[in-house]
Amino acid sequence: MSNETARNMLYQQFVANNAIDPKYYDKYVVKRGLRNSDGTGVMAGLTNICNVHGYVINEGEKSPIPGKLVFRGYDIKDLVENAVKENRFAYEETVYLLLMGNLPTHEELAAFTELMDENRQLPPNFFEDMILKAPSRNIMNKMGRALLSLYSYDENPENRSPEFEMATAISIISKLPNIMVSAYQVKRRVYDGQSMIMHPLIKGQSTAEMILSALRPDRKFTDEEAKLLDIVLMLHAEHGGGNNSTFTCRVLTSSGTDPYSAYSAAIGSLKGPKHGGANIKVNEMFTCVKEHVRNWDDEGEVADFLRKILNKEAFDHTGLIYGMGHAVYTLSDPRAVILKANAEKLAHGTEFEKEFRLLESIERLTPELFAEKKGDIKAMCANVDMYSGLVYRMLGIPEDLFTPLFAVSRMAGWCAHRFEELVTGKRIIRPAYKAVMKEREYIPIDER
């Protein structure tokens, strides 16, 4: 038997032994993906941390509305607009809000920012032993492994006191950007054949400034660039308890496991292309569009190529236009609205302006083309991934770090949800699975 034949047989067995007849899902009213038939999520818990609002139920039917994202009662639009108005960095304030439940005073914010600054350094020999000697091609993989390794550097990692949980959360949120950049630099040297540049940390920098300073060989960046990255971090910091990675964190927390395990699992979830990894798929699709559309200003030509994508004739043949549509948002994703406006400002007058206009065309045309293909009109908006890749590229951030930056930001939300699960959850999360296989009589090995 050839290797190819053996592989085909294994594949066929894999599919046959793991496939379940779809009729059973209807028969037993199984809500796949924990989704109701109308696309809304199955109610699995309560939270005071975040509200992701994109529709209302009107007389039993889901009606689209402009999207809202609310952190601890505060609209993300207000948080970002006031940070811009006051010309200051506000990601650290957002972290404080999510962890503590209230907006800080000047004194509280100054003390908290200093605390984060003090916690950025990695433990002695951690970089050499856990990152340099064990590189990974995938930065998300390395970040997850590094978080698990921090357990070994903790004198009492099984402590469940509020003081320990808060100190551990602040430590991890502060260290993760350093871990991300360090893992990336090692990956460049080991797998890309490029120089590894390791800058020392500069005391007093915001998280956004620290990331740009550590990434760029000359350490130079503009205040406008750093403030834009700060906004990106704010927008990605939290998105409700039902998203896959946050729910993963809450599931592990409900088992009573340590924070390092719970947060590492959340990173593993975010790594998936159906979740945090979607920003890379948008970038790959956008590259494909740019290569195959000769005149980016010709909406007819753009529409023709998008039709090919929808018809599974182009790009990855899935029929998906990445960056469009969301599980909750219908008319608009507030994160995408804010990011788009700021991306347009930074792109204006640069070589990225034409790319921004092309993304706008994709956003505008996709709902029409989707309705044309499906025969119905569905509320569909651009999600945050549509413009995040362009912003990252304008900031000189490599694609390797698109999803890791998402994780760096979202760690604040994961920590807040772990706190809430510890205090209010009380029960291990255990949904039911209906067994549909038939019992079989055991056959001795010689008779098989």
Side-chain angles (χ1 to χ4, degrees):
M1 183 186 297
S2 68
N3 289 338
E4 184 176 355
T5 301
R7 282 194 297 270
N8 288 336
M9 288 181 62
L10 177 62
Y11 174 76
Q12 291 170 5
Q13 290 177 0
F14 181 86
V15 173
N17 292 336
N18 290 287
I20 293 177
D21 191 330
K23 69 182 181 185
Y24 286 121
Y25 289 95
D26 293 329
K27 179 179 179 179
Y28 297 110
V29 196
V30 176
K31 298 180 177 181
R32 281 194 272 189
L34 293 181
R35 303 276 188 89
N36 297 311
S37 58
D38 61 0
T40 60
V42 172
M43 193 68 68
L46 303 173
T47 182
N48 274 320
I49 298 168
C50 179
N51 184 24
V52 182
H53 195 41
Y55 58 83
V56 294
I57 302 299
N58 183 17
E59 296 184 354
E61 293 187 1
K62 188 169 73 171
S63 300
I65 60 171
K68 287 187 70 174
L69 178 60
V70 181
F71 292 177
R72 297 285 192 179
Y74 296 96
D75 194 315
I76 186 64
K77 182 173 178 285
D78 293 334
L79 294 174
V80 171
E81 285 185 352
N82 279 279
V84 172
K85 180 181 177 181
E86 296 164 11
N87 191 30
R88 62 185 179 85
F89 294 98
Y91 173 66
E92 288 74 19
E93 179 182 63
T94 304
V95 175
Y96 185 100
L97 172 64
L98 290 171
L99 297 187
M100 308 298 184
N102 296 297
L103 287 172
T105 63
H106 280 294
E107 294 76 16
E108 289 169 337
L109 181 58
F112 185 76
T113 301
E114 185 176 353
L115 186 60
M116 286 187 65
D117 199 25
E118 292 172 354
N119 274 274
R120 285 210 176 104
Q121 292 287 354
L122 302 179
N125 302 316
F126 184 90
F127 169 73
E128 292 80 2
D129 294 339
M130 299 301 172
I131 300 178
L132 185 62
K133 293 179 182 178
S136 175
R137 289 182 174 85
N138 187 285
I139 308 305
M140 289 290 282
N141 169 267
K142 185 69 258 181
M143 288 165 66
R145 287 158 59 192
L147 273 194
L148 285 175
S149 298
L150 284 172
Y151 179 101
S152 302
Y153 290 77
D154 195 317
E155 293 182 359
N156 190 14
E158 295 296 337
N159 189 343
R160 293 293 177 276
S161 69
E163 295 85 0
F164 168 80
E165 287 287 345
M166 183 63 73
T168 303
I170 293 171
S171 174
I172 290 175
I173 293 169
S174 304
K175 288 178 174 59
L176 201 58
N178 193 358
I179 290 172
M180 175 188 72
V181 175
S182 299
Y184 171 68
Q185 293 292 356
V186 173
K187 183 259 182 185
R188 277 168 47 90
R189 182 180 72 85
V190 175
Y191 297 108
D192 301 341
Q194 299 182 31
S195 297
M196 181 176 75
I197 302 172
M198 303 299 299
H199 294 305
L201 297 177
I202 298 176
K203 189 169 178 59
Q205 287 187 326
S206 69
T207 301
E209 290 174 309
M210 174 259 150
I211 291 170
L212 291 178
S213 175
L215 270 179
R216 297 186 175 181
D218 62 3
R219 313 205 74 167
K220 294 180 180 178
F221 55 87
T222 66
D223 185 65
E224 182 184 21
E225 288 176 321
K227 295 280 175 57
L228 177 56
L229 181 57
D230 184 73
I231 290 173
V232 173
L233 294 174
M234 292 176 68
L235 295 176
H236 284 90
E238 163 58 6
H239 209 237
N243 72 79
N244 196 276
S245 56
T246 302
F247 189 62
T248 296
C249 181
R250 294 192 77 132
V251 168
L252 266 79
T253 297
S254 76
S255 76
T257 195
D258 64 276
Y260 302 100
S261 294
Y263 300 142
S264 179
I267 286 179
S269 165
L270 194 72
K271 177 176 174 287
K274 293 182 180 179
H275 192 12
N279 51 27
I280 294 177
K281 294 297 291 184
V282 172
N283 200 45
E284 291 173 350
M285 181 196 73
F286 188 49
T287 299
C288 182
V289 172
K290 288 189 294 182
E291 290 174 350
H292 289 85
V293 175
R294 295 174 62 185
N295 184 358
W296 298 357
D297 297 323
D298 186 339
E299 288 201 351
E301 187 180 354
V302 175
D304 287 342
F305 190 73
L306 293 178
R307 285 191 186 93
K308 290 182 179 180
I309 294 178
L310 284 170
N311 292 329
K312 303 181 181 181
E313 299 169 358
F315 187 46
D316 62 359
H317 307 288
T318 62
L320 299 174
I321 294 183
Y322 296 94
M324 293 298 301
H326 191 270
V328 178
Y329 298 126
T330 51
L331 296 183
S332 61
D333 178 340
R335 303 167 302 170
V337 172
I338 294 170
L339 201 56
K340 177 181 177 180
N342 284 275
E344 184 173 21
K345 292 177 186 176
L346 191 63
H348 181 68
T350 72
E351 69 272 22
F352 292 104
E353 188 167 7
K354 286 193 66 178
E355 293 192 18
F356 177 83
R357 299 303 172 199
L358 179 57
L359 276 176
E360 272 194 318
S361 295
I362 295 172
E363 178 188 1
R364 183 168 53 255
L365 292 168
T366 297
E368 300 172 12
L369 297 173
F370 188 88
E372 173 188 298
K373 179 174 175 59
K374 299 292 183 180
D376 62 354
I377 299 175
K378 177 183 178 182
M380 177 184 292
C381 64
N383 59 51
V384 70
D385 296 317
M386 176 62 80
Y387 292 95
S388 63
L390 178 63
V391 169
Y392 290 151
R393 285 188 288 110
M394 286 194 290
L395 293 175
I397 293 170
E399 188 177 280
D400 280 328
L401 296 185
F402 283 12
T403 310
L405 266 173
F406 195 161
V408 162
S409 174
R410 183 58 60 85
M411 184 56 69
W414 293 334
C415 293
H417 279 278
R418 175 174 169 83
F419 295 172
E420 194 172 65
E421 187 65 33
L422 285 170
V423 174
T424 65
K426 304 304 183 185
R427 300 184 69 180
I428 187 170
I429 296 174
R430 190 195 184 283
Y433 272 70
K434 171 70 176 176
V436 294
M437 79 293 187
K438 296 179 180 179
E439 290 194 16
R440 296 184 288 180
E441 185 178 346
Y442 179 80
I443 302 173
I445 192 168
D446 292 337
E447 299 176 18
R448 296 174 198 163

